[in-house]
Amino acid sequence: MSTTDSCHIASIRKATSADIPEILKIMDSARAFQRSLGFVQWKDGYPSVEIIESDISQGGARVFIIDGIIEAYAFLAFGDPAYDELPDNLWKFKGNYGVVHRLAVSDRHRGHGISSAIFQMIESEYRRENIWIVRVDTGENNIVMRKIMARNGYSPLGLHNFIWGPRLVFEKRIFP
């Protein structure tokens, strides 16, 4: 699959409990990929089955389907208490916001340019909910995610401390 094939992501849908085994495989693969690049953002066992179940019960778990197979996962939060604790003057935009957590792509499609299609779908999901600001954080050493953020128009807002550790913060205003 080349980068021009990113449009092959046929759909995004809410994840169900039946999807958990596939989601966990994608997460395992993502952790291994992080380690192959020389950093650890997600410790072994993260996210756990319980976290994915919580994502599903909160209604924010999303799977991305290519050719009928789950190939990526993300949790779409509507606001986040940990983000609310950051200084107000950090944010470029005010108002209701969404946060993308736990984004992972299967090893079959990683590096093939589908992240932009995934972010377009995520942004469409937020727009449907009248959310016009999207925020993301990632580890300082996660060069891949930093490039994805830049490629998709997310502004870097510096390194900040969360309960899960220091993370680079990004933000984008998505217009209706």
Side-chain angles (χ1 to χ4, degrees), residues 34 83 164-165:
Q34 289 173 357
Y83 277 65
W164 51 84

Side-chain angles (χ1 to χ4, degrees), residues 30-50:
R31 275 192 307 279
F33 180 66
Q34 289 173 357
R35 284 157 179 74
S36 77
L37 295 177
F39 71 95
V40 175
Q41 182 168 318
W42 294 342
K43 293 181 172 32
D44 290 340
Y46 178 88
S48 65
V49 170
E50 294 79 16

Side-chain angles (χ1 to χ4, degrees), residues 86-155:
L86 296 176
D88 261 356
N89 63 355
L90 160 72
W91 307 112
K92 293 169 60 176
F93 306 107
K94 304 297 181 214
N96 293 334
Y97 65 93
V99 179
V100 180
H101 285 300
R102 295 183 275 290
L103 175 63
V105 176
S106 74
D107 58 356
R108 291 180 298 272
H109 292 281
R110 188 179 304 115
H112 295 277
I114 68 167
S115 63
S116 291
I118 288 172
F119 269 96
Q120 287 172 7
M121 285 187 213
I122 287 170
E123 291 167 9
S124 290
E125 288 276 307
Y126 280 129
R127 281 187 199 101
R128 278 192 282 283
E129 298 293 330
N130 293 314
I131 301 292
W132 309 113
I133 303 163
V134 181
R135 296 176 178 159
V136 180
D137 69 86
T138 193
E140 193 172 11
N141 295 326
N142 193 339
I143 302 301
V144 173
M145 191 63 166
R146 290 169 63 180
K147 287 179 181 177
I148 290 168
M149 295 291 85
R151 187 169 45 241
N152 287 283
Y154 285 77
S155 300

Side-chain angles (χ1 to χ4, degrees), residues 11-92:
S11 62
I12 177 177
R13 67 168 170 78
K14 286 188 174 186
T16 68
S17 295
D19 300 324
I20 291 174
E22 286 304 312
I23 293 167
L24 292 175
K25 286 180 194 173
I26 291 169
M27 293 302 179
D28 289 343
S29 170
R31 275 192 307 279
F33 180 66
Q34 289 173 357
R35 284 157 179 74
S36 77
L37 295 177
F39 71 95
V40 175
Q41 182 168 318
W42 294 342
K43 293 181 172 32
D44 290 340
Y46 178 88
S48 65
V49 170
E50 294 79 16
I51 289 172
I52 300 300
E53 287 173 340
S54 175
D55 290 354
I56 292 167
S57 70
Q58 291 178 59
R62 297 294 186 275
V63 290
F64 301 85
I65 312 299
I66 302 173
D67 297 327
I69 299 170
I70 296 171
E71 297 291 358
Y73 175 80
F75 175 61
L76 308 185
F78 295 87
D80 187 309
Y83 277 65
D84 293 341
E85 291 179 13
L86 296 176
D88 261 356
N89 63 355
L90 160 72
W91 307 112
K92 293 169 60 176

